[in-house]
Amino acid sequence: MALRTSTTERQRRLGAELRKLREQAGLSVTEGGDSIGMGRAHLGHVEAGRTAIPSDKLRMLCRAYRCTRAPLVEALVAMGEDKGKGWWTQYRHVVGQTALDLAELEAAADALLSYESLFIPGVLQTPEYTRSIFRSSQDERSAEDLEGAVRFRGERQQILIRERPSALHAVIHEAALHVRFGGAAVMRKQLLHLIRMAEPPHITIQVLPFTAEGLSAFSTPFLMVESHGSALETVLVETPATSLYVHESDAVAKYRSRFARLAAAALPPIDPAVSASAHESRDSLSLIQHLLYILQED
């Protein structure tokens, strides 16, 4: 049994879900392994994401754990059968494992809920905006690696325009619209891109204004991803030091509630199809148009 020297988030998640089901069934690792003719150590490696588990064994394990949620079982089987050989693998020498894990997670997404406080969400960025962010960071990159990282982020955006696109609901703090990565011209192009991206019905973009009250506790950006027919949910919380993946149902529910509060406090969504006369009251589009006017003057 060859063990993986490094694991992806998908592999760790599959193992964590199996461990959770076993613990909910009140079985030890030994008892879980015995139920499918697998040794304690072998099952331990599966739960740690260090080795794979055949689909028939996985289904047997779910039955032994009395898991009757068919969508969850099928989601776990799909995760186990996934070889992780998507488009992102060609960038493994350009970006880190965290970025690769995010791309793989997004590729399986049915829907994404995104809150950003200082940046435009990655899947909504223009190449010029992305490039200016990388240039302003403390990470040293060669010109070749920089352009590779920009292309990688652009590839991630394909989930919004593929044949069966992921739904996206993004709440962006007004502060992110004022931070001028790349200068006025780059920001103007980025804001216009936001308006265009809001045109399809599966994309919702809202701006959380500075005037929103009582939301100081919600300053940390996060991304919630629903996948595998919404049988699995993951929350990604990124900090300067690390990226945290949250799977626990109680914690995920808190983030979902948090996002609902943010969306409720935000301005009405960007709707380019609405006539100009309908924007007499403040909404996300009118705010962006105001910022575009200011940028044009600079």
Side-chain angles (χ1 to χ4, degrees), residues 11-275:
Q11 293 162 346
R12 292 189 294 271
R13 175 68 185 277
L14 175 59
E17 289 294 328
L18 292 176
R19 181 175 63 252
K20 181 167 62 176
L21 290 176
R22 175 179 58 75
E23 291 173 346
Q24 289 174 346
L27 299 178
S28 66
V29 181
T30 300
E31 291 169 331
D34 288 345
S35 69
I36 59 171
M38 181 180 288
R40 178 181 184 279
H42 192 166
L43 182 57
H45 289 311
V46 169
E47 291 185 355
R50 289 190 291 266
T51 193
I53 178 172
S55 297
D56 58 339
K57 292 283 189 180
L58 195 156
R59 293 183 187 277
M60 289 171 59
L61 205 57
C62 288
R63 287 195 293 270
Y65 295 161
R66 300 186 294 279
C67 177
T68 58
R69 294 165 54 195
L72 175 59
V73 174
E74 294 308 313
L76 296 179
V77 170
M79 291 179 72
E81 294 178 344
D82 193 335
K83 302 303 180 183
K85 301 298 183 181
W87 62 265
W88 52 88
T89 57
Q90 63 183 303
Y91 289 92
R92 61 184 180 275
H93 300 303
V94 178
V95 299
Q97 187 59 50
T98 297
L100 298 175
D101 285 341
L102 175 57
E104 184 175 11
L105 183 65
E106 289 175 334
D110 302 312
L112 302 98
L113 306 179
S114 172
Y115 170 62
E116 283 287 353
S117 57
L118 292 177
F119 300 96
I120 304 299
V123 292
L124 296 174
Q125 293 177 6
T126 65
E128 296 83 0
Y129 181 90
T130 299
R131 189 176 293 109
S132 65
I133 288 177
F134 288 146
R135 283 175 174 166
S136 65
S137 71
Q138 296 181 347
D139 297 331
E140 293 186 4
R141 300 174 186 262
S142 66
E144 182 180 359
D145 285 347
L146 174 64
E147 292 307 311
V150 172
R151 288 195 300 273
F152 173 81
R153 187 159 295 184
E155 289 272 14
R156 285 175 49 205
Q157 300 174 9
Q158 294 300 308
I159 63 171
L160 300 179
I161 58 175
R162 60 192 179 186
E163 184 176 353
R164 298 182 63 182
S166 303
L168 170 67
H169 187 172
V171 175
I172 307 170
H173 198 287
E174 184 179 348
L177 308 183
H178 288 270
V179 180
R180 296 192 182 184
F181 288 106
V186 170
M187 283 306 300
R188 179 173 175 78
K189 186 174 182 179
Q190 175 62 71
L191 295 182
L192 288 170
H193 183 65
L194 277 184
I195 296 174
R196 286 192 293 269
M197 289 299 294
E199 293 177 359
H202 65 281
I203 298 178
T204 300
I205 300 174
Q206 291 179 267
V207 176
L208 182 69
F210 286 123
T211 54
E213 298 181 4
L215 292 173
S216 60
F218 303 130
S219 59
T220 303
F222 62 91
L223 174 68
M224 175 177 287
V225 181
E226 300 175 0
S227 64
H228 298 85
S230 299
L232 295 173
E233 295 178 307
T234 302
V235 175
L236 171 61
V237 183
E238 292 190 275
T239 70
T242 186
S243 294
L244 174 66
Y245 288 91
V246 180
H247 311 134
E248 294 75 16
S249 57
D250 289 347
V252 169
K254 289 180 180 178
Y255 276 101
R256 182 174 292 280
S257 176
R258 178 175 297 188
F259 187 85
R261 290 183 62 186
L262 287 164
L267 298 173
I270 297 174
D271 186 357
V274 174
S275 63

